[in-house]
Amino acid sequence: MARASAHLATPNASDLLEKARAAAASVVDPEIPVITIEELGVLRDVAVEADGSVTVTITPTYTGCPAMTVFVMDIEVALDEAGFEQVRVETVLSPAWTSDWMSEAAREKLRAYGIAPPVGSAGSTGLFDKPDVACPRCGSLKTERISEFGSTACKALYKCGSCHEPFDYFKCI
Amino acid sequence: MANDLFTYTMRLADDAAILSQRLAGWCGHASHLEEDIALTNIALDQIGCARLLYAYAGEIEGKGRDEDALCFNRNEREFTNLLLLEQPNDDFAYAIVRQFFYSAYVLLFWQALKSSKDERLAGIAAKAEKEAAYHLRHSAEWVVRLGDGTEESRSRIEEAIEFLWMYTGEMFEMDEVATALAEQGIAVDAAAIKPAWNKSINEVFARADLSVPTGTWMQTGGRNGEHSEHLGHVLAPMQYLQRAYPGLVW
Ligand SMILES: [Zn+2]
């Protein structure tokens, strides 16, 4: 998902870039620690300048998502630990983030963690449509939405009618 | 032109900020826990939207006012939000109808603003559109549930619809600022989205057998800083900290 671009052509440049990219890509979502910002689609670009300074570009999932501040701090720490001293994190809004950017592998990780991944693609459901959300624990489709909104901006709250467990659903937007 | 763009961006920012503060008033007071979380989540989306818009307005103005200065250090008459959004949380039905009228409008508004020639506004619109679609789902479901619910829930939502209706006309007004920017391909022709808004209101009301008011007399003034008596009460708790301790940061 994230692009990696080198801005200089010394023999070392691509190694440095790869190192910076890997460090940034290792940062996980503080609220869903099994998913990295790369898998989430939040990490958009990593660039290393000739002077060794790094610019990481991210995009917010939701405009008011409080996790964004944590993302920025965690990216700075990860790059610092990888040996980069000058790090800048930039935020872009376009193209707007969508849950469609999450890979199949990331969706599987969500499920294994107990969060039902988004069903279908963004914008495909009508005003009163209800998606068939499978329980991440038992796979049953006999589930019920308790609330359109959940513990974080990106989640809704569901309950399984088969195993009776409540669970989070990663909103499709 | 820069002045018009500042004015226009501030209107949108004030809309988001005032609605956010109103929604935040439900924190700990909603009908049940899930709804408490829902209303405050919508408030959070509005804060995010307000921050982006205030920050951009501050850049356009170029006088060093940041998002906090613009939100917390302006007086009532300087706020240019829609009157609908400052109306009180008298009843849950009022909050739902206010949200429904606005979400149905602003979803169409962001969809149109996405193709603005102003790239920053277009970017913010593309982001806000997805969130508005979600807010509309939430409020539309409640409109149907209350309208189709008990005798009491129905009478309360009917009262809210009747009261808030006169604040809906303002959303579609085009004054000199909006018209000048619309001619340059920057602003939305709000009057042009009214038919689609009416359609969306009619469809949802029809599901709960609620009738659309026929009144045509509309309140106006918010875009010029002329507000109802309620705005001061929204601003007081919101601005208190920065007024008492100017420049305080966490
Ligand atoms: Zn289950």
Side-chain angles (χ1 to χ4, degrees):
Chain A
M1 195 62 60
R3 226 165 58 239
S5 45
H7 290 249
L8 77 172
T10 64
N12 218 351
S14 67
D15 287 353
L16 262 185
L17 178 62
E18 192 39 49
K19 198 174 162 193
R21 208 202 57 79
S26 72
V27 171
V28 296
D29 183 325
E31 281 156 343
I32 314 171
V34 289
I35 300 274
T36 68
I37 57 170
E38 185 177 40
E39 291 168 324
L40 197 57
V42 160
L43 181 63
R44 305 307 294 160
D45 188 38
V46 179
V48 180
E49 301 300 329
D51 63 2
S53 67
V54 183
T55 304
V56 178
T57 308
I58 58 174
T59 194
T61 50
Y62 289 80
T63 53
C65 181
M68 288 307 286
T69 323
V70 183
F71 283 150
V72 173
M73 287 189 316
D74 288 353
I75 290 167
E76 287 168 352
V77 169
L79 282 152
D80 182 64
E81 282 171 356
F84 296 94
E85 281 168 9
Q86 295 220 20
V87 181
R88 205 166 41 141
V89 182
E90 284 184 356
T91 303
V92 291
L93 291 182
S94 302
W97 178 86
T98 161
S99 51
D100 293 353
W101 289 351
M102 274 198 300
S103 66
E104 204 39 60
R107 286 161 195 255
E108 197 41 57
K109 282 191 195 176
L110 277 182
R111 204 187 331 266
Y113 187 63
I115 299 172
V119 174
S121 56
S124 60
T125 50
L127 195 54
F128 293 96
D129 291 352
K130 295 216 167 53
D132 286 327
V133 177
C135 169
R137 291 170 208 281
C138 73
S140 168
L141 281 171
K142 218 180 110 195
T143 58
E144 183 195 347
R145 195 188 65 210
I146 298 171
S147 171
E148 282 271 19
F149 297 84
S151 54
T152 66
C154 59
K155 289 178 276 179
L157 204 55
Y158 274 69
K159 191 172 77 180
C160 177
S162 296
C163 73
H164 302 294
E165 284 288 328
F167 63 90
D168 276 330
Y169 167 60
F170 199 100
K171 297 189 322 204
C172 182
I173 120 164
Chain B
M1 146 70 203
N3 203 24
D4 281 352
L5 187 59
F6 172 75
T7 303
Y8 191 71
T9 306
M10 285 300 288
R11 291 174 178 179
L12 308 183
D14 286 343
D15 283 350
I18 297 303
L19 179 58
S20 170
Q21 184 69 10
R22 271 298 185 215
L23 288 166
W26 284 101
C27 189
H29 296 276
S31 53
H32 55 292
L33 182 61
E34 287 75 17
E35 198 45 36
D36 209 288
I37 294 169
L39 294 171
T40 46
N41 257 287
I42 300 174
L44 196 58
D45 287 342
Q46 299 297 338
I47 290 178
C49 196
R51 289 186 61 181
L52 293 170
L53 290 160
Y54 280 133
Y56 182 39
E59 286 172 37
I60 298 166
E61 188 190 40
K63 289 183 186 163
R65 287 203 284 180
D66 65 3
E67 56 194 68
D68 287 345
L70 290 171
C71 188
F72 300 126
N73 293 339
R74 284 156 59 241
N75 292 330
E76 199 181 342
R77 290 296 299 265
E78 296 169 273
F79 272 76
T80 52
N81 57 283
L82 295 165
L83 298 175
L84 172 71
L85 306 176
E86 70 199 40
Q87 297 310 307
N89 293 333
D90 282 343
D91 187 77
F92 180 64
Y94 277 68
I96 289 301
V97 173
R98 182 182 65 204
Q99 190 68 43
F100 174 62
F101 282 160
Y102 177 70
S103 295
Y105 153 80
V106 88
L107 174 61
L108 296 163
F109 181 90
W110 296 132
Q111 281 167 348
L113 194 67
K114 272 201 304 185
S115 42
S116 169
K117 283 189 180 147
D118 185 290
E119 275 183 31
R120 279 284 284 278
L121 288 181
I124 294 169
K127 197 79 204 124
E129 178 205 1
K130 291 164 177 285
E131 296 172 0
Y134 209 82
H135 304 162
L136 179 59
R137 287 173 68 92
H138 169 262
S139 54
E141 282 187 10
W142 268 115
V143 166
V144 174
R145 198 179 306 178
L146 296 176
D148 222 5
T150 63
E151 229 172 85
E152 175 164 7
S153 74
R154 185 176 175 87
S155 79
R156 280 159 75 166
I157 195 166
E158 279 175 341
E159 189 192 309
I161 292 167
E162 202 55 50
F163 175 75
L164 292 171
W165 183 251
M166 65 180 161
Y167 295 103
T168 57
E170 204 181 28
M171 300 190 287
F172 308 102
E173 284 175 5
M174 289 295 286
D175 68 352
E176 277 177 25
V177 170
T179 305
L181 288 173
E183 279 166 4
Q184 297 162 56
I186 292 171
V188 172
D189 181 355
I193 59 179
K194 189 157 192 291
W197 180 81
N198 280 326
K199 184 165 172 279
S200 147
I201 300 299
N202 287 335
E203 280 171 8
V204 174
F205 278 13
R207 279 182 170 251
D209 204 21
L210 288 164
S211 27
V212 179
T214 49
T216 51
W217 185 80
M218 293 288 162
Q219 289 276 9
T220 183
R223 296 305 193 204
N224 296 318
E226 290 150 18
H227 293 278
S228 62
E229 69 272 30
H230 306 296
L231 185 65
H233 297 276
V234 179
L235 296 184
M238 183 174 99
Q239 298 186 332
Y240 167 77
L241 201 74
Q242 284 302 320
R243 300 292 188 155
Y245 306 95
L248 186 76
V249 287
W250 291 108

